[in-house]
């Protein structure tokens, strides 16, 4: 802008110098030709400036549309949307650079003005050469006009120098700010890289933890995702349901155990009552009759001095003592602590019969029970009462 303003003033000063050197005074016709030339030159300059401005605006709009299509194509390719990629590429291919269109639009007007400007300049030069010699007054007037233009040029140049100094100061400040911003961006980039490295390390550590987390595995099965992809909200929902269920079960375990224990105590305290049905009693009676005949009556040949036979009743089966074992389930995490508590609370004669076992120790429990049964069977058996009933030992 400073150069343009200076060039305009310098051109006016040059025109005055040319008039002084020509030593002629412009005639009225030459003055009118000069004014016409200046008008046509101004119109041509305005038209060229308008063309350049419209071309610049159209090209900037074209570039924005092109960049928009390019960004949309890139985003669609990253998401795998092939239909959007094809549609945006077709729109991008339809875009055309408007520069040639604008130049073709202004070309006829420029073709009209440029020959007119050239003709006006030729006419002015011809009339200026035919002008009468310059008088002293005209020369003084031109010199005064030149001095005024020189002062105007100097003032304009000083003004523009001041503006340029201010612009240079602002540019230096902006460059300093940009430098600090660049340093800040570099530090932020380093920080971002460090954070990305830390996130990668934490993600590597998180994957096995998430895959081994029971809550996340349940949430992954429920939501149909991988354990490492389960969100905190989803894991929180599943954990709430899971621990609420466990709390409900734990809350019911005590009352149910107490009810079962009380029921077993009540059953043990009640006298034995024959509650068999008629069919079961009939079957039992038939079975006992068959066993009585099989056990009590057996023919055995015994040698005698005298020839004859003798019937001898020989018992062939001995009633076995069956030991009944009552299982009482108790929820605990420490069987040894339960055993110590039972040793403190139970009477000494009961402690030896009580066996405490936990899940995963059934084989050892069975061996202990077999040992107990073997010891009990070695004792003298109780004979059956009349009618074939067995003696029960609890």
């Amino acid at each position: 802008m400073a150069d343009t303003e200076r060039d305009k003033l310098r051109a006016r000063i040059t025109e005055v110098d040319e008039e002084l050197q020509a030593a002629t005074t412009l005639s009225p016709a030459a003055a009118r030709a000069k004014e016409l030339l200046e008008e046509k030159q101004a119109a041509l300059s305005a038209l060229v400036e308008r063309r350049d401005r419209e071309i610049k605006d159209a090209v900037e709009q074209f570039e924005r549309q092109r960049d928009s299509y390019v960004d949309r194509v890139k985003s669609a390719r990253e998401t795998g949307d092939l239909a959007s990629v094809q549609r945006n590429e077709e729109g991008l291919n339809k875009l055309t650079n408007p520069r040639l269109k604008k130049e073709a639009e202004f070309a006829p007007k420029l073709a009209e003005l440029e020959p007119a400007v050239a003709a006006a300049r030729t006419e002015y030069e011809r009339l200026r050469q035919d002008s009468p010699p310059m008088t002293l007054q005209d020369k003084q007037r031109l010199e005064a006009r030149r001095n005024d233009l020189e002062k105007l040029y100097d003032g304009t140049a000083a003004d523009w120098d001041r503006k340029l100094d201010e612009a240079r100061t602002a540019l230096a400040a902006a460059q300093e700010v940009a430098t600090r911003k660049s340093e800040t961006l570099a530090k932020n980039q380093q920080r971002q890289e460090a954070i990305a490295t830390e996130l990668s390390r934490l993600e590597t550590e998180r994957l096995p933890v998430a895959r081994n987390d029971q809550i996340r595995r349940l949430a992954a099965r429920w939501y149909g995702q991988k354990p490492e992809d389960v969100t905190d909200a989803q894991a929180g929902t599943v954990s709430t349901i899971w621990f609420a269920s466990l709390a409900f079960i734990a809350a019911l375990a005590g009352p149910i155990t107490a009810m079962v224990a009380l029921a077993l105590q009540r059953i043990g305290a009640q006298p034995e009552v024959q509650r068999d049905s008629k069919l079961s009693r009939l079957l039992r009676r038939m079975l006992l009759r068959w066993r009585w005949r099989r056990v009590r009556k057996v023919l055995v040949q015994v040698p005698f001095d005298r020839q004859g036979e003798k019937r001898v009743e020989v018992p062939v089966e001995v009633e076995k003592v069956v030991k009944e074992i009552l299982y009482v389930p108790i929820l605990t995490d420490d069987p040894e602590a339960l055993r110590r508590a039972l040793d403190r609370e139970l009477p000494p004669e009961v402690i030896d019969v009580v066996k405490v076992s936990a899940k995963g120790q059934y084989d050892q429990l069975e061996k202990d029970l077999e040992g107990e049964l073997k010891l009990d069977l070695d004792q003298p058996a109780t004979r059956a009462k009349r009618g074939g009933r067995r003696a029960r030992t609890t």
Side-chain angles (χ1 to χ4, degrees):
M1 292 172 64
D3 293 340
T4 302
E5 190 70 20
R6 290 169 180 172
D7 291 342
K8 289 181 180 179
L9 293 175
R10 180 57 62 185
R12 294 174 63 183
I13 294 172
T14 301
E15 290 178 358
V16 174
D17 291 338
E18 290 177 356
E19 291 182 4
L20 288 174
Q21 290 176 2
T24 57
T25 304
L26 293 177
S27 61
R32 288 194 299 271
K34 182 180 180 182
E35 292 177 357
L36 181 62
L37 175 61
E38 290 176 353
E39 291 176 359
K40 291 186 178 298
Q41 286 179 344
L44 180 60
S45 300
L47 184 61
V48 171
E49 185 179 356
R50 178 186 170 190
R51 181 197 64 180
D52 294 341
R53 185 173 62 252
E54 291 186 4
I55 288 176
K56 181 181 178 182
D57 295 340
V59 169
E60 289 179 353
Q61 184 178 2
F62 163 74
E63 290 178 351
R64 286 196 298 270
Q65 291 179 352
R66 182 185 59 189
D67 294 340
S68 176
Y69 274 113
V70 170
D71 293 340
R72 281 183 282 179
V73 169
K74 183 178 178 181
S75 301
R77 284 179 178 172
E78 290 177 354
T79 57
D81 191 355
L82 299 180
S84 299
V85 171
Q86 184 177 1
R87 184 173 62 256
N88 291 322
E89 285 182 349
E90 290 177 357
L92 179 61
N93 294 330
K94 291 179 181 179
L95 289 179
T96 56
N97 196 330
R99 180 182 294 276
L100 297 178
K101 183 178 179 180
K102 288 293 182 182
E103 290 178 353
E105 181 181 349
F106 282 90
K109 298 178 181 179
L110 292 175
E112 293 178 1
L113 286 176
E114 289 176 353
V117 170
R121 183 178 290 106
T122 302
E123 182 66 17
Y124 168 70
E125 293 294 336
R126 185 182 63 79
L127 293 174
R128 188 174 63 82
Q129 292 175 2
D130 295 341
S131 299
M134 181 182 300
T135 61
L136 181 61
Q137 294 178 353
D138 293 336
K139 184 176 182 182
Q140 291 176 354
R141 180 175 56 80
L142 288 175
E143 288 177 353
R145 183 182 175 186
R146 187 180 186 283
N147 292 332
D148 293 339
L149 290 174
E150 287 287 347
K151 292 179 182 179
L152 180 61
Y153 180 82
D154 293 338
T156 303
D159 188 23
W160 279 110
D161 289 339
R162 179 180 58 79
K163 292 181 179 179
L164 286 174
D165 291 338
E166 293 177 356
R168 291 190 186 96
T169 304
L171 178 61
Q175 289 177 346
E176 185 178 358
V177 171
T179 302
R180 291 198 299 268
K181 186 176 180 181
S182 300
E183 294 176 355
T184 304
L185 288 176
K187 292 180 181 178
N188 292 337
Q189 184 66 26
Q190 294 178 357
R191 177 63 176 166
Q192 184 177 1
E193 292 176 356
I195 291 174
T197 305
E198 184 68 15
L199 286 175
S200 178
R201 185 183 64 80
L202 293 176
E203 182 67 17
T204 304
E205 296 178 357
R206 187 186 71 87
L207 288 178
V209 175
R211 290 171 182 173
N212 294 327
D213 189 355
Q214 185 66 24
I215 298 298
R216 290 188 174 273
R217 292 172 66 183
L218 291 174
R221 180 173 292 275
W222 179 263
Y223 290 102
Q225 298 178 359
K226 294 182 179 179
E228 59 269 18
D229 296 335
V230 173
T231 62
D232 294 339
Q234 294 173 347
T237 302
V238 174
S239 65
T240 302
I241 298 173
W242 174 256
F243 289 113
S245 303
L246 292 180
F248 181 73
I249 294 172
L252 291 180
I256 291 176
T257 304
M259 287 187 292
V260 171
L262 291 174
L264 293 176
Q265 290 179 0
R266 187 170 60 252
I267 293 172
Q270 292 177 356
E272 184 178 356
V273 180
Q274 187 70 23
R275 297 180 180 178
D276 297 336
S277 62
K278 295 181 178 180
L279 179 60
S280 61
R281 288 198 299 272
L282 177 60
L283 293 176
R284 181 177 178 81
R285 191 178 297 111
M286 293 173 62
L287 180 61
L288 289 175
R289 287 179 181 176
W290 176 76
R291 289 185 60 192
W292 185 263
R293 288 195 302 270
R294 185 172 62 87
V295 173
R296 294 297 180 179
K297 297 180 180 179
V298 178
L299 296 178
V300 179
Q301 293 183 1
V302 180
F304 286 96
D305 294 339
R306 294 173 59 185
Q307 292 184 357
E309 293 182 357
K310 185 179 181 180
R311 295 182 180 271
V312 180
E313 297 182 359
V314 180
V316 296
E317 184 177 350
V318 180
E319 293 291 337
K320 295 182 180 180
V321 178
V322 179
K323 185 176 182 180
E324 296 183 359
I325 300 174
L326 177 64
Y327 292 93
V328 180
I330 299 177
L331 298 179
T332 180
D333 293 333
D334 192 352
E336 295 298 329
L338 177 61
R339 178 63 188 182
R340 290 192 296 271
L342 292 176
D343 290 344
R344 291 194 304 268
E345 298 295 335
L346 297 178
E349 61 273 11
V350 181
I351 293 175
D352 296 334
V353 236
V354 175
K355 298 295 181 180
V356 180
S357 64
K359 184 178 180 181
Q361 299 179 356
Y362 295 115
D363 297 338
Q364 185 64 31
L365 178 60
E366 290 178 357
K367 292 180 180 180
D368 296 339
L369 293 177
E370 289 177 359
E372 292 289 335
L373 293 175
K374 184 176 180 182
L375 291 175
D376 292 339
L377 291 176
D378 291 339
Q379 299 176 2
T382 305
R383 295 185 178 275
K385 296 181 180 180
R386 183 175 298 175
R389 294 187 179 179
R390 298 179 181 178
R392 297 184 181 180
T393 303
T394 59

